[in-house]
Amino acid sequence: MIISEDLLLKYGADFSDFQSGETIFSEGSDPNFYFQVFTGTVGLQNLFDDGKELIQNIMTTGECFAESFLFNTKPYNVTGIAITQCSILKLRKNDFYKLLEDNDHLSSMFLKYFSSCLYDKYFMMLNLAAADPINKIQAILNILKRDNNCKKPFSFQVPLTRQQIANLTGLRVETVIRTIKKMQTNDAVKIENGKIFC
């Protein structure tokens, strides 16, 4: 879901810059802004007591994130982290509501967007419940490739590190490395200069 930069600025959005590893918002805090990535990469994650991270989602340039929290009164149940240096467009919650009120077409676009997000969540839950690590990794790669409109084999360079794939799937990084090598042997992915193509 992308709202034009001009429209966001017209309703009072500001740019905020974050360094890699910096927290954008914390789990348990109140959602007060609509966020859209202008440049860079952002992750939504949970941190467990044992130090293990689970990445719920990764967003890049042009994508919004944590917007669903603006439609209820509950606090964030994830933490937003800048994975790379990034610039974020932030629009206050009340200004966001006004933007939607003035632009009906955006409300219907958000419904379609939320529907697509739910579809992907159900798809991921099904595949993450599978025991086979190949299924877990392939599910992530399929969604990424689809979202980037890449249909030809090995035409899409996966923009994730092996650690990020591990954090998204709940697998150990060693398991991800072994599994990707196995997937290469089975012609499911191609590896060139350490980059994964699917």
Side-chain angles (χ1 to χ4, degrees), residues 2-186:
I2 299 173
I3 300 176
S4 79
E5 175 190 340
D6 290 342
L7 190 57
L8 288 170
L9 292 171
K10 177 182 172 184
Y11 279 82
D14 291 315
F15 288 97
S16 292
D17 295 326
F18 296 88
Q19 297 302 312
S20 176
E22 197 173 347
T23 298
I24 299 165
F25 60 81
S26 299
E27 185 174 350
S29 64
D30 291 327
N32 294 314
F33 293 94
Y34 168 84
F35 298 102
Q36 189 166 293
V37 183
F38 184 67
T39 59
T41 306
V42 171
L44 298 181
Q45 67 180 35
N46 296 103
L47 187 61
F48 296 99
D49 291 339
D50 62 3
K52 188 174 179 180
E53 292 176 10
L54 175 66
I55 296 179
Q56 298 279 359
N57 208 347
I58 294 178
M59 283 69 52
T60 58
T61 300
E63 295 181 299
C64 61
F65 60 96
E67 67 292 328
S68 62
F69 291 95
L70 296 174
F71 295 96
N72 65 50
T73 57
K74 296 178 177 134
Y76 291 117
N77 62 7
V78 292
T79 295
I81 299 284
I83 292 177
T84 65
Q85 183 176 355
C86 55
S87 184
I88 308 291
L89 271 163
K90 291 171 56 177
L91 181 65
R92 291 198 173 280
K93 184 196 257 187
N94 289 338
D95 295 329
F96 175 67
Y97 289 159
K98 176 71 173 148
L99 184 152
L100 291 182
E101 186 181 310
D102 293 347
N103 299 273
D104 310 5
H105 69 286
L106 287 178
S107 295
S108 62
M109 284 174 65
F110 265 104
L111 285 174
K112 288 177 187 172
Y113 172 72
F114 289 149
S115 175
S116 177
C117 290
L118 280 173
Y119 177 87
D120 286 348
K121 282 289 181 195
Y122 291 139
F123 179 76
M124 284 305 302
M125 282 175 19
L126 173 66
N127 284 284
L128 293 179
D132 187 354
I134 288 179
N135 288 349
K136 295 180 181 193
I137 294 171
Q138 192 66 62
I140 297 278
L141 301 185
N142 288 344
I143 288 173
L144 286 171
K145 192 169 179 178
R146 181 207 66 206
D147 287 351
N148 285 277
N149 288 324
C150 292
K151 295 179 181 172
K152 293 182 182 175
F154 313 122
S155 61
F156 177 67
Q157 181 180 330
V158 178
L160 304 174
T161 65
R162 279 129 178 102
Q163 182 64 60
Q164 288 169 336
I165 293 171
N167 292 348
L168 277 164
T169 57
L171 297 169
R172 293 169 42 96
V173 70
E174 297 83 1
T175 304
V176 169
I177 292 167
R178 279 195 311 272
T179 304
I180 287 173
K181 285 181 183 173
K182 187 175 179 182
M183 290 171 75
Q184 182 183 30
T185 304
N186 296 339

